[in-house]
Amino acid sequence: DTAVSQTPKYLVTQMGNDKSIKCEQNLGHDTMYWYKQDSKKFLKIMFSYNNKELIINETVPNRFSPKSPDKAHLNLHINSLELGDSAVYFCASSQGVMAGEVVETQYFGPGTRLLVL
Amino acid sequence: GQNIDQPTEMTATEGAIVQINCTYQTSGFNGLFWYQQHAGEAPTFLSYNVLDGLEEKGRFSSFLSRSKGYSYLLLKELQMKDSASYLCAVMDSNYQLIWGAGTKLIIKP
């Protein structure tokens, strides 16, 4: 009955490789997000999707591309991995608008620990 | 620019009370969130304030003053399991969450 799930939990790979991280939410939420948390613990928004429309795209390298096959899934694909991409990546989701009110509490997945060697 | 400030680290004793402060400067305001993050785990939602005043939820309370750009999280009857990072986040006028770096709370017996 996991609300927001991510796979894999750990990912160790070589520089230059291409990898994907998957995220699924079963909360029926309208908006999903990808965050990067670096070694200093800052949470930085990377992308968010609302009803399959990209609504935030912070200035992340275009090597990172979000893909949303449906409202419940938001996957993150990374091309040509670099050492600086090593971090924890969190997926999150929020309701958006419910009963005319904005309900933006975000629920996080368990995180994917990416290490680029 | 947008900015969230909170202390980097605090130490408190089991059974005591601790207050974690957060000050913010953002373009617009649509609410302030507090999240708890244990080491190696995901952030989990604690509280949401959009109006001035104190919101109490069990051992945790959160206070907001919009005119001062200030909030605090108050933890009472501290337990060892409360050792974690506490993240303050503000939703701006575009409904984007702006996150602080978090306060690492260390609880000592």
mmCIF file of all heavy atoms in Angstrom, chain B residues 77-102:
data_model
loop_
_atom_site.group_PDB
_atom_site.id
_atom_site.type_symbol
_atom_site.label_atom_id
_atom_site.label_comp_id
_atom_site.label_asym_id
_atom_site.label_seq_id
_atom_site.Cartn_x
_atom_site.Cartn_y
_atom_site.Cartn_z
ATOM 1 N N GLU B 77 8.451 17.473 25.048
ATOM 2 C CA GLU B 77 8.687 16.112 25.559
ATOM 3 C C GLU B 77 9.547 15.313 24.579
ATOM 4 O O GLU B 77 9.160 14.240 24.121
ATOM 5 C CB GLU B 77 7.348 15.404 25.803
ATOM 6 C CG GLU B 77 6.456 16.109 26.786
ATOM 7 C CD GLU B 77 5.041 15.536 26.804
ATOM 8 O OE1 GLU B 77 4.845 14.410 26.302
ATOM 9 O OE2 GLU B 77 4.135 16.221 27.295
ATOM 10 N N LEU B 78 10.699 15.860 24.277
ATOM 11 C CA LEU B 78 11.555 15.286 23.248
ATOM 12 C C LEU B 78 11.875 13.822 23.523
ATOM 13 O O LEU B 78 12.150 13.408 24.649
ATOM 14 C CB LEU B 78 12.854 16.080 23.146
ATOM 15 C CG LEU B 78 12.743 17.424 22.439
ATOM 16 C CD1 LEU B 78 14.006 18.238 22.641
ATOM 17 C CD2 LEU B 78 12.451 17.242 20.961
ATOM 18 N N GLN B 79 11.846 13.057 22.425
ATOM 19 C CA GLN B 79 12.202 11.652 22.479
ATOM 20 C C GLN B 79 13.399 11.420 21.558
ATOM 21 O O GLN B 79 13.646 12.206 20.632
ATOM 22 C CB GLN B 79 11.013 10.794 22.028
ATOM 23 C CG GLN B 79 9.760 11.008 22.864
ATOM 24 C CD GLN B 79 8.555 10.259 22.343
ATOM 25 O OE1 GLN B 79 8.666 9.421 21.443
ATOM 26 N NE2 GLN B 79 7.389 10.557 22.894
ATOM 27 N N MET B 80 14.122 10.346 21.822
ATOM 28 C CA MET B 80 15.318 10.067 21.018
ATOM 29 C C MET B 80 14.956 9.950 19.534
ATOM 30 O O MET B 80 15.739 10.361 18.674
ATOM 31 C CB MET B 80 16.013 8.791 21.498
ATOM 32 C CG MET B 80 16.540 8.856 22.926
ATOM 33 S SD MET B 80 17.667 10.232 23.213
ATOM 34 C CE MET B 80 19.068 9.737 22.215
ATOM 35 N N LYS B 81 13.764 9.433 19.245
ATOM 36 C CA LYS B 81 13.364 9.263 17.847
ATOM 37 C C LYS B 81 13.121 10.588 17.122
ATOM 38 O O LYS B 81 12.963 10.619 15.894
ATOM 39 C CB LYS B 81 12.096 8.416 17.760
ATOM 40 C CG LYS B 81 10.854 9.099 18.328
ATOM 41 C CD LYS B 81 9.631 8.220 18.181
ATOM 42 C CE LYS B 81 8.379 8.911 18.690
ATOM 43 N NZ LYS B 81 7.158 8.077 18.552
ATOM 44 N N ASP B 82 13.103 11.701 17.888
ATOM 45 C CA ASP B 82 12.943 13.013 17.260
ATOM 46 C C ASP B 82 14.250 13.515 16.641
ATOM 47 O O ASP B 82 14.262 14.562 15.970
ATOM 48 C CB ASP B 82 12.441 14.044 18.283
ATOM 49 C CG ASP B 82 11.068 13.696 18.840
ATOM 50 O OD1 ASP B 82 10.273 13.060 18.107
ATOM 51 O OD2 ASP B 82 10.799 14.038 20.011
ATOM 52 N N SER B 83 15.337 12.806 16.869
ATOM 53 C CA SER B 83 16.609 13.166 16.230
ATOM 54 C C SER B 83 16.445 13.031 14.721
ATOM 55 O O SER B 83 16.220 11.927 14.200
ATOM 56 C CB SER B 83 17.738 12.248 16.706
ATOM 57 O OG SER B 83 18.048 12.470 18.049
ATOM 58 N N ALA B 84 16.542 14.157 14.023
ATOM 59 C CA ALA B 84 16.294 14.182 12.577
ATOM 60 C C ALA B 84 16.622 15.584 12.083
ATOM 61 O O ALA B 84 16.962 16.470 12.869
ATOM 62 C CB ALA B 84 14.831 13.849 12.269
ATOM 63 N N SER B 85 16.496 15.771 10.783
ATOM 64 C CA SER B 85 16.558 17.124 10.224
ATOM 65 C C SER B 85 15.141 17.634 10.052
ATOM 66 O O SER B 85 14.240 16.870 9.689
ATOM 67 C CB SER B 85 17.283 17.112 8.879
ATOM 68 O OG SER B 85 18.661 16.940 9.047
ATOM 69 N N TYR B 86 14.961 18.936 10.308
ATOM 70 C CA TYR B 86 13.646 19.558 10.182
ATOM 71 C C TYR B 86 13.743 20.636 9.104
ATOM 72 O O TYR B 86 14.551 21.568 9.210
ATOM 73 C CB TYR B 86 13.188 20.117 11.526
ATOM 74 C CG TYR B 86 12.901 18.988 12.490
ATOM 75 C CD1 TYR B 86 13.913 18.417 13.245
ATOM 76 C CD2 TYR B 86 11.621 18.440 12.581
ATOM 77 C CE1 TYR B 86 13.662 17.347 14.079
ATOM 78 C CE2 TYR B 86 11.359 17.367 13.422
ATOM 79 C CZ TYR B 86 12.388 16.821 14.171
ATOM 80 O OH TYR B 86 12.135 15.742 14.990
ATOM 81 N N LEU B 87 12.938 20.457 8.060
ATOM 82 C CA LEU B 87 13.009 21.312 6.881
ATOM 83 C C LEU B 87 11.845 22.278 6.859
ATOM 84 O O LEU B 87 10.692 21.875 6.986
ATOM 85 C CB LEU B 87 12.975 20.459 5.606
ATOM 86 C CG LEU B 87 13.999 19.323 5.513
ATOM 87 C CD1 LEU B 87 13.704 18.450 4.303
ATOM 88 C CD2 LEU B 87 15.389 19.895 5.404
ATOM 89 N N CYS B 88 12.167 23.550 6.685
ATOM 90 C CA CYS B 88 11.161 24.596 6.524
ATOM 91 C C CYS B 88 11.034 24.866 5.024
ATOM 92 O O CYS B 88 12.048 24.949 4.314
ATOM 93 C CB CYS B 88 11.635 25.845 7.269
ATOM 94 S SG CYS B 88 10.633 27.315 7.059
ATOM 95 N N ALA B 89 9.817 25.002 4.527
ATOM 96 C CA ALA B 89 9.608 25.261 3.102
ATOM 97 C C ALA B 89 8.444 26.221 2.941
ATOM 98 O O ALA B 89 7.420 26.085 3.608
ATOM 99 C CB ALA B 89 9.330 23.962 2.341
ATOM 100 N N VAL B 90 8.597 27.180 2.054
ATOM 101 C CA VAL B 90 7.564 28.189 1.808
ATOM 102 C C VAL B 90 7.057 28.066 0.385
ATOM 103 O O VAL B 90 7.852 27.909 -0.557
ATOM 104 C CB VAL B 90 8.115 29.610 2.039
ATOM 105 C CG1 VAL B 90 7.092 30.668 1.623
ATOM 106 C CG2 VAL B 90 8.504 29.791 3.496
ATOM 107 N N MET B 91 5.744 28.122 0.220
ATOM 108 C CA MET B 91 5.154 28.098 -1.118
ATOM 109 C C MET B 91 4.987 29.532 -1.609
ATOM 110 O O MET B 91 4.319 30.342 -0.951
ATOM 111 C CB MET B 91 3.810 27.382 -1.080
ATOM 112 C CG MET B 91 3.179 27.197 -2.429
ATOM 113 S SD MET B 91 2.088 25.777 -2.478
ATOM 114 C CE MET B 91 3.259 24.439 -2.457
ATOM 115 N N ASP B 92 5.601 29.829 -2.752
ATOM 116 C CA ASP B 92 5.578 31.211 -3.231
ATOM 117 C C ASP B 92 4.334 31.477 -4.073
ATOM 118 O O ASP B 92 3.422 30.645 -4.148
ATOM 119 C CB ASP B 92 6.879 31.540 -3.976
ATOM 120 C CG ASP B 92 7.014 30.810 -5.305
ATOM 121 O OD1 ASP B 92 6.046 30.160 -5.761
ATOM 122 O OD2 ASP B 92 8.098 30.872 -5.894
ATOM 123 N N SER B 93 4.300 32.627 -4.718
ATOM 124 C CA SER B 93 3.102 33.024 -5.465
ATOM 125 C C SER B 93 2.823 32.122 -6.660
ATOM 126 O O SER B 93 1.699 32.062 -7.157
ATOM 127 C CB SER B 93 3.231 34.475 -5.933
ATOM 128 O OG SER B 93 4.415 34.626 -6.693
ATOM 129 N N ASN B 94 3.834 31.408 -7.141
ATOM 130 C CA ASN B 94 3.659 30.470 -8.256
ATOM 131 C C ASN B 94 3.389 29.048 -7.776
ATOM 132 O O ASN B 94 3.435 28.108 -8.563
ATOM 133 C CB ASN B 94 4.912 30.462 -9.143
ATOM 134 C CG ASN B 94 5.120 31.777 -9.855
ATOM 135 O OD1 ASN B 94 4.151 32.387 -10.317
ATOM 136 N ND2 ASN B 94 6.351 32.224 -9.923
ATOM 137 N N TYR B 95 3.138 28.905 -6.481
ATOM 138 C CA TYR B 95 2.898 27.598 -5.858
ATOM 139 C C TYR B 95 4.113 26.690 -5.966
ATOM 140 O O TYR B 95 3.991 25.474 -5.991
ATOM 141 C CB TYR B 95 1.632 26.928 -6.415
ATOM 142 C CG TYR B 95 0.394 27.689 -6.043
ATOM 143 C CD1 TYR B 95 -0.197 28.573 -6.927
ATOM 144 C CD2 TYR B 95 -0.162 27.556 -4.767
ATOM 145 C CE1 TYR B 95 -1.322 29.305 -6.554
ATOM 146 C CE2 TYR B 95 -1.280 28.278 -4.390
ATOM 147 C CZ TYR B 95 -1.849 29.157 -5.291
ATOM 148 O OH TYR B 95 -2.954 29.878 -4.933
ATOM 149 N N GLN B 96 5.315 27.308 -6.060
ATOM 150 C CA GLN B 96 6.546 26.540 -5.978
ATOM 151 C C GLN B 96 6.993 26.490 -4.524
ATOM 152 O O GLN B 96 6.931 27.494 -3.808
ATOM 153 C CB GLN B 96 7.653 27.207 -6.782
ATOM 154 C CG GLN B 96 7.537 27.050 -8.276
ATOM 155 C CD GLN B 96 8.814 27.478 -8.968
ATOM 156 O OE1 GLN B 96 9.895 27.019 -8.598
ATOM 157 N NE2 GLN B 96 8.709 28.333 -9.945
ATOM 158 N N LEU B 97 7.482 25.334 -4.089
ATOM 159 C CA LEU B 97 8.012 25.201 -2.733
ATOM 160 C C LEU B 97 9.484 25.616 -2.724
ATOM 161 O O LEU B 97 10.286 25.064 -3.466
ATOM 162 C CB LEU B 97 7.897 23.768 -2.242
ATOM 163 C CG LEU B 97 6.703 23.393 -1.377
ATOM 164 C CD1 LEU B 97 6.847 21.975 -0.868
ATOM 165 C CD2 LEU B 97 6.531 24.357 -0.219
ATOM 166 N N ILE B 98 9.812 26.581 -1.876
ATOM 167 C CA ILE B 98 11.191 27.005 -1.683
ATOM 168 C C ILE B 98 11.666 26.387 -0.366
ATOM 169 O O ILE B 98 11.063 26.640 0.679
ATOM 170 C CB ILE B 98 11.296 28.541 -1.612
ATOM 171 C CG1 ILE B 98 10.533 29.194 -2.773
ATOM 172 C CG2 ILE B 98 12.759 28.969 -1.598
ATOM 173 C CD1 ILE B 98 11.014 28.802 -4.145
ATOM 174 N N TRP B 99 12.725 25.621 -0.425
ATOM 175 C CA TRP B 99 13.154 24.843 0.745
ATOM 176 C C TRP B 99 14.341 25.475 1.464
ATOM 177 O O TRP B 99 15.258 25.996 0.826
ATOM 178 C CB TRP B 99 13.564 23.432 0.305
ATOM 179 C CG TRP B 99 12.438 22.604 -0.203
ATOM 180 C CD1 TRP B 99 11.913 22.613 -1.463
ATOM 181 C CD2 TRP B 99 11.679 21.646 0.545
ATOM 182 N NE1 TRP B 99 10.866 21.714 -1.536
ATOM 183 C CE2 TRP B 99 10.713 21.105 -0.345
ATOM 184 C CE3 TRP B 99 11.730 21.185 1.865
ATOM 185 C CZ2 TRP B 99 9.802 20.129 0.070
ATOM 186 C CZ3 TRP B 99 10.825 20.218 2.265
ATOM 187 C CH2 TRP B 99 9.871 19.707 1.364
ATOM 188 N N GLY B 100 14.321 25.404 2.788
ATOM 189 C CA GLY B 100 15.505 25.708 3.571
ATOM 190 C C GLY B 100 16.435 24.505 3.563
ATOM 191 O O GLY B 100 16.068 23.419 3.100
ATOM 192 N N ALA B 101 17.637 24.706 4.092
ATOM 193 C CA ALA B 101 18.641 23.629 4.095
ATOM 194 C C ALA B 101 18.391 22.618 5.203
ATOM 195 O O ALA B 101 19.042 21.569 5.234
ATOM 196 C CB ALA B 101 20.034 24.221 4.229
ATOM 197 N N GLY B 102 17.483 22.955 6.127
ATOM 198 C CA GLY B 102 17.169 22.014 7.202
ATOM 199 C C GLY B 102 17.990 22.268 8.453
ATOM 200 O O GLY B 102 19.111 22.793 8.394
#
